[in-house]
Amino acid sequence: MEEQATERTSIESAESDGAAAETSPEKHQPQGMLPARERRGTGIERGFMRLVATAGIVGIAVALGAILVGQDVAGWIVGLVIGLVSVMLAALLWSSRQL
């Protein structure tokens, strides 16, 4: 009987801790791919990071195209898939506030 009372108290205290954490006035900033920093990077650094990320998108598109062509997929489907994937990844990249 005593164990059940102890379990209830620990559960109740955990629930009240969770409720207190949810109502805290601190705002949680959304994170991007890179951790937030106190200072903004220089224009050269941000440009270089975007260039590297864009090269990654091109690499993903080339690999995807090679896989699809290797599977004898029709050329127009390969072009469509590569185009859509590239546009979606580029939109994610350029909308990022971290880069």
Side-chain angles (χ1 to χ4, degrees):
M1 200 59 153
E2 195 172 305
E3 290 177 17
Q4 290 178 346
T6 307
E7 288 178 22
R8 282 188 194 141
T9 346
S10 62
I11 292 171
E12 290 170 359
S13 66
E15 288 175 353
S16 65
D17 290 344
E22 290 176 8
T23 58
S24 66
E26 296 178 23
K27 288 185 177 181
H28 178 64
Q29 297 285 334
Q31 291 286 326
M33 288 190 300
L34 300 174
R37 296 184 289 178
E38 290 183 14
R39 67 168 183 88
R40 282 281 188 199
T42 63
I44 295 172
E45 180 184 2
R46 284 184 282 175
F48 181 71
M49 289 296 296
R50 287 186 187 237
L51 182 69
V52 168
T54 303
I57 291 172
V58 170
I60 290 170
V62 168
L64 183 60
I67 291 168
L68 290 175
V69 168
Q71 297 295 320
D72 292 327
V73 176
W76 70 273
I77 295 176
V78 173
L80 179 65
V81 169
I82 290 173
L84 290 175
V85 168
S86 298
V87 167
M88 287 188 300
L89 290 175
L92 286 173
L93 167 68
W94 289 98
S95 68
S96 170
R97 293 182 180 208
Q98 294 294 321
L99 292 178

